Amino acid sequence: MSSAPTSREVPSPTAAPTGDVTVVVMSRDRRDELLATLPRHEAPVVLVDNASTDGTVEAVRAAHPAVAVLPQRRNLGAAARTVGVAAAGTPFVAFADDDSWWAPGDLARAVRIMRAHPRLAVLNARVLVGPEERLDPVCAEMARSPLGTPGDLPGPALLGFIACGALVRADAFLAAGGFDPVVRFPGEEERLALDLAAAGWGLAYVDSVTVHHHPSPRRHAPAERQAAVWRSRLLTAAMRLPPPDVVRAVTEAARTGPGRTGLGRALPDLPAAVRRRRSLPPRVLDDLRVLAGRPRRQPAGRVRR
């Protein structure tokens, strides 16, 4: 793993504001949403299709021949984005879902911010939800991050992000392993964020850059999604957190129905998670304690690189 260095006109998907960025879209069985959102992207697009059965690949190739389509034989979950980043070949990659897109001009702005902050590996944009443009509640939490704003980052420091609203530095993303096949989706961001932070990279929330997200009606029921998030949380804990924190996560999961469902779903993947287990440095564990509202075990200091 490498360590960090010291109502508008819809644009064409090939009208990139810069040659430095690619938009990577992950999708499965959402052909209609894709056909509506792909023309909104202001950079070349790589679409990684997770074994759709609704004719997505053929429809996109016919309607948007400039889009590079990478069909997968099986559903890779979030790891499909890693396939897309590896194929992109640009220093920066913006993630979008089949129901999200970057606001006009903001992708180029985000790239400029990344270039101006060389330790920044992930820029999380402000995410506005639906036609009413409600601020995603997670963004409000990120804006209030208790980790503060280090002088070399453009906004509050994070240990997580929202994948559909993130711009990443491709080499840092790939060196950290990208999204892994154990966690899959949803909740895939945490393990990657922890590994980036462990390598000395920064993650930040930047509310001057906007992503629009119009959630697809083809979504799992809330309880089902909560169970899937719990599964990811527990597997991430098994891969990276100290044993007492793993026990705490299991105890919290057991208190709710979705948590218990998620725990059951995590068990078959537990051996794979344990094989990937790696300790986090104390400074990252301390930041996690701060985010959980607990005191640091050691004084906060400069980020070691």
Side-chain angles (χ1 to χ4, degrees):
M1 182 180 298
S2 66
S3 57
T6 35
S7 79
R8 298 173 180 169
E9 180 178 350
V10 175
S12 163
T14 60
T18 169
D20 293 340
V21 64
T22 301
V23 177
V24 168
V25 181
M26 173 186 76
S27 185
R28 175 177 167 82
D29 289 335
R30 289 187 181 174
R31 178 189 60 195
D32 295 342
E33 288 89 339
L34 272 172
L35 294 176
T37 58
L38 284 174
R40 295 180 177 271
H41 298 309
E42 294 181 319
V45 177
V46 173
L47 167 64
V48 187
D49 181 78
N50 268 330
S52 290
T53 59
D54 64 350
T56 288
V57 171
E58 297 78 10
V60 170
R61 284 175 170 166
H64 303 291
V67 172
V69 183
L70 304 180
Q72 305 301 299
R73 294 184 178 180
R74 61 185 179 89
N75 184 358
L76 303 180
R81 295 195 190 99
T82 307
V83 173
V85 175
T90 50
F92 305 105
V93 169
F95 292 129
D97 286 348
D98 39 42
D99 54 6
S100 74
W101 63 93
W102 292 69
D106 279 12
L107 187 53
R109 182 180 297 111
V111 169
R112 291 194 295 269
I113 293 171
M114 290 283 276
R115 285 208 170 278
H117 298 84
R119 192 171 71 85
L120 183 63
V122 179
L123 181 157
N124 200 115
R126 178 180 63 151
V127 179
L128 300 181
V129 181
E132 65 275 22
E133 300 191 342
R134 293 177 289 105
L135 181 69
D136 190 304
V138 178
C139 291
E141 293 179 14
M142 291 190 289
R144 299 190 301 266
S145 172
L147 300 181
T149 302
D152 59 351
L153 294 182
L158 308 173
L159 278 181
F161 59 99
I162 305 173
C164 74
L167 177 70
V168 301
R169 198 175 298 270
D171 58 354
F173 172 91
L174 293 171
F179 296 114
D180 64 72
V182 177
V183 174
R184 295 195 291 275
F185 178 85
E188 68 275 16
E189 298 93 345
E190 184 182 5
R191 195 281 308 160
L192 175 59
L194 293 174
D195 284 355
L196 286 167
W201 291 101
L203 300 84
Y205 175 66
V206 180
D207 66 3
S208 62
V209 179
T210 298
V211 165
H212 294 282
H213 181 206
H214 288 200
S216 170
R218 298 182 180 90
R219 296 170 67 85
H220 293 301
E224 179 72 13
R225 183 173 179 85
Q226 289 169 19
V229 169
W230 269 113
R231 174 192 169 278
S232 297
R233 186 178 303 166
L234 293 163
L235 290 171
T236 298
M239 283 192 280
R240 294 294 182 266
L241 300 188
D245 291 333
V246 178
V247 172
R248 183 180 293 109
V250 171
T251 301
E252 291 176 357
R255 292 173 181 161
T256 69
R260 290 190 293 272
T261 301
L263 178 58
R265 292 179 183 175
L267 289 177
D269 294 297
L270 185 58
V274 172
R275 286 194 298 270
R276 292 167 175 259
R277 183 170 173 79
R278 185 167 65 247
S279 298
L280 294 170
R283 58 182 171 78
V284 177
L285 292 174
D286 274 353
D287 283 347
L288 281 173
R289 290 177 64 85
V290 171
L291 289 171
R294 304 198 300 272
R296 289 184 183 273
R297 289 178 176 170
Q298 65 175 26
R302 286 185 60 191
V303 174
R304 295 194 295 272
R305 300 175 184 171

